[in-house]
């Protein structure tokens, strides 16, 4: 599967500084500075729009603008996230409990809280009428989206897939991550952004995703080892061919298991230090890792991206730069 | 069997009117209603207080680790176990096989979300319970794989609102067609929750008394919950193990209105139906009945009827709307609609649209009012449309005679 286009927002993650305060858990949040939803998504119908959706709509516009003439009825959109606009869901839920009447919630926010609001907005604002859905699956959701994309293309349901992931940095999501992370996890601020790729199935030269595999188990290192080996098999590559790796599992406390699995399955590839410069972008982490691998490796380099979901499902994406 | 078809060898419904294929089918054909008072949360202050919850669902009956799963995932596990048992498949026997588990959902775990929102209201998000946060963010398909002991299964949660179950079936069909899976567990699940109920209440799309799709006096839908899982196999795989093929997935399609976040679009729905028919190699004249999206809201039903008329002409096949019985089970609804279609094909009987008094002239469809009806059913179309303008249509055919 060829990566025919890509965009990432923020484009140049600078790593900080994170925002801290009594309303946030200790690692803080890292927001896209100066994000203007009206500029990102257009001025209309944005009163209740969440930040991740605005970023995804802007990214969709960029990718489509770079690929003029493509058939939008034959274009699919797949957008992964860990929990959609969680802050919107919390606002609606808390209002229902605290307002004088339980149904006195913001009606404009109701559709925003449904998980596929973002993928739907990308379609609506750019008239993309092909297959469209959100995917949820924590840190591995982008790998699942890549597999879904390849299947849509192979089945002839789309000529191109805009496939990516987006998250927003809100106090609610920061506290959700804080509650769900193990105590010994890396204290990474919760970040936001959208990484989006235009994927096609052809033989033209260009960077490619050559293998995607997932595996689960009680031992996350063993699960990731299996996933890496299966992704290598699918890519038709010996382990020595993979010379760079971007690891993403740290914020959920799976960093040591991830290092073990990489050593077991790949030896000692160069470590790409993209890691969480945008903060912990949840489902988008693996997408930012892919962007970083394409930015940081030489043409022809085969690279691996690894992730372990906090439920113990591991994912490996193998690609080749061009 | 056509090489582009997938054999359906098992179904697992968990619904407000019945759990398991036999109970579900009997309730469908009897025109049972799942309507009851809401018990999931305190409804004081609401004007409308009924829904279609799954009664007496006990996660510990189905899960080895019930504390790890929210209600959505627990119902999905139950549906998957039921579907595998219906197919005569032991999860143990699947360990060496290539398995895809694709489940449609509308959101994360709704009941866990209610707990998190209560914490926000009481003390702010710093009060989130770690166990609740973990269940809320855990994958539904991943939990099914864990409970079935299938560490190598490919899993995916497809969040496509009320069309999600059909999205998952289409992905399952593609995996079978492309030779990427030997066995697929596909469908959808969603638990009943306060936010969805409240949202529908706020925007005025909750039925004051009952869900009556295509009725002139329809006034809204009734939110529900449930899970539905189908077991798909290649024909060879099913034949090799001597499985009974209940029906076959002949084709399907997904598209997006790209017009409005909540209002449906007739032309896009019609386009999706045409894409699905082409995918199945079928003509409109070959469709014997439609398992309608049929939510009972004024806007949806007339839009669906017009889209059907645009494709099928002035004498469309009967549209039966099982949401009249099941309520709107969100991510599970299209999967339960598909299982209802399979039950209809197996029994050669159309389940009814209950609560029906007089058909809306603007819809002008035969919705099989109130009483099940024998019919020759070789091909049934199953509809699922959702927020975000997402549409998904699946065509389900009668199994070839053994």
């Amino acid at each position: 599967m060829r990566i025919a286009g890509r965009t990432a927002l923020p484009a140049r993650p600078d790593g900080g500084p994170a925002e801290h305060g009594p309303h946030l858990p200790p690692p803080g949040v890292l927001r896209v500075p100066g994000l203007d939803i009206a500029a990102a998504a257009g001025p209309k119908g944005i009163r209740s729009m969440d930040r991740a959706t605005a970023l995804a709509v802007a990214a969709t516009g960029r990718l489509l603008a770079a690929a003029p003439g493509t058939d939008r009825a034959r274009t699919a959109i797949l957008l992964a996230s860990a929990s959609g606009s969680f802050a919107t869901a919390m606002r609606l839920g808390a209002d229902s409990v605290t307002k004088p009447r339980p149904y006195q919630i913001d009606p404009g926010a109701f559709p925003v809280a449904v998980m596929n609001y973002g993928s739907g907005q990308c379609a609506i604002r750019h008239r993309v009428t092909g297959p469209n859905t959100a995917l949820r699956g924590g840190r591995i959701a982008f790998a699942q989206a890549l597999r879904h994309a390849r299947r849509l293309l192979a089945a002839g349901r789309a000529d191109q897939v805009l496939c990516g992931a987006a998250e927003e940095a809100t106090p609610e999501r920061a506290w959700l991550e804080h509650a769900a992370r193990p105590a010994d996890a890396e204290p990474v601020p919760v970040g936001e952004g959208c990484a989006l790729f235009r994927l096609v199935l052809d033989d033209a030269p260009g960077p490619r995703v050559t293998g995607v595999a997932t595996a689960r188990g009680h031992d996350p290192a063993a699960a990731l080892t299996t996933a890496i080996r299966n992704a290598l098999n699918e890519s038709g590559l010996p382990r020595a061919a993979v010379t760079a790796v971007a690891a993403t599992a740290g914020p959920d406390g799976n960093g040591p298991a991830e290092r073990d699995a990489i050593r077991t399955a790949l030896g000692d590839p160069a470590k790409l230090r993209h890691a969480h410069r945008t903060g912990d972008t949840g489902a988008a982490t693996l997408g930012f890792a892919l962007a970083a691998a394409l930015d940081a490796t030489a043409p022809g380099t085969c690279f691996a991206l690894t992730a372990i979901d906090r439920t113990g499902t591991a994912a490996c994406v193998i690609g080749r730069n061009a | 069997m056509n090489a582009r078809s997938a054999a359906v060898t098992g179904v697992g419904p968990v619904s407000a009117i019945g759990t398991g294929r036999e109970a579900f089918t009997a309730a469908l054909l009897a025109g049972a209603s799942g309507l009851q008072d809401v018990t999931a949360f305190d409804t004081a202050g609401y004007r409308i207080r009924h829904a279609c919850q799954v009664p007496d669902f006990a996660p510990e009956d189905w899960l080895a680790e019930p504390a790890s799963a929210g209600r959505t995932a627990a119902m999905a596990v139950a549906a998957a176990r039921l579907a595998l048992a219906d197919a005569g498949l032991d999860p143990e026997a699947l360990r060496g096989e290539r398995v895809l588990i694709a489940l449609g959902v509308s959101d994360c775990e709704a009941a866990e979300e209610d707990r998190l929102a209560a914490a926000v209201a009481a003390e702010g998000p710093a009060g989130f319970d770690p166990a609740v946060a973990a269940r809320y963010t855990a994958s539904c398909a991943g939990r099914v794989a864990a409970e079935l002991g299938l560490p190598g299964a490919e899993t995916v949660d497809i969040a496509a609102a009320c069309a999600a179950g059909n999205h998952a079936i289409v992905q399952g069909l593609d995996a079978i067609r492309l030779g990427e899976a030997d066995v697929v567990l596909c469908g959808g699940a969603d638990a009943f929750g306060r936010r969805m109920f409240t949202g529908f209440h706020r925007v005025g799309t909750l039925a004051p008394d009952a869900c009556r799709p295509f009725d002139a006096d329809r006034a809204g839908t009734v939110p529900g919950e449930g899970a539905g899982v189908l077991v798909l196999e290649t024909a060879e795989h099913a034949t090799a193990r001597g499985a009974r093929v209940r029906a076959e997935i002949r084709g399907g399609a997904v598209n997006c209105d790209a017009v409005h976040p909540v209002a449906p679009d007739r032309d896009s729905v019609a386009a999706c139906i045409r894409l699905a028919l082409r995918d199945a190699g079928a003509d409109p004249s070959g469709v014997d009945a439609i398992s309608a999206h049929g939510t009972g809201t004024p806007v949806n039903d007339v839009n669906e009827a017009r889209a059907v008329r645009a494709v099928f002409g002035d004498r469309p096949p009967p549209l039966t709307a099982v949401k009249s019985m099941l309520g709107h089970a969100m991510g599970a609804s299209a999967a339960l609609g598909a299982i209802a279609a399979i039950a209809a094909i197996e029994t050669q009987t159309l389940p009814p649209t209950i609560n029906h008094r007089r058909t809306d002239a603007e819809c002008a469809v035969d919705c099989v009012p109130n009483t099940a009806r024998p019919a020759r059913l070789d091909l049934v179309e199953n509809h699922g449309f959702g927020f975000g303008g997402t549409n998904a249509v699946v065509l389900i055919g009668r199994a070839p005679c053994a």
Side-chain angles (χ1 to χ4, degrees), chain B residues 355-379:
Chain B
N355 305 320
H356 201 76
R357 295 186 296 218
R358 55 191 185 104
T359 303
D360 182 357
E362 280 205 75
C363 296
V365 293
D366 168 10
C367 69
V368 195
N370 299 320
T371 310
R373 187 167 78 205
R376 182 182 168 82
L377 301 170
D378 289 327
L379 186 63

Side-chain angles (χ1 to χ4, degrees), chain B residues 105 131 151 184 190 216 228 232 242 244 318 374 393:
Chain B
V105 295
V184 171
D190 256 322
L232 308 187
R244 171 180 175 158
V393 173

Side-chain angles (χ1 to χ4, degrees), chain A residues 96 127 136 144 151 157, chain B residues 138 155 171 174 180 194 258:
Chain A
S96 175
R127 293 294 302 152
R136 59 166 290 231
Q144 294 166 317
R151 204 165 267 150
R157 299 192 184 279
Chain B
T155 58
Q171 177 158 184
D174 286 346
E180 294 177 351
R194 180 173 184 130

Side-chain angles (χ1 to χ4, degrees), chain A residues 43-56:
Chain A
K44 288 186 184 167
I46 57 167
R47 188 177 61 84
S48 302
M49 184 180 283
D50 61 297
R51 296 168 64 85
T53 294
L55 291 165

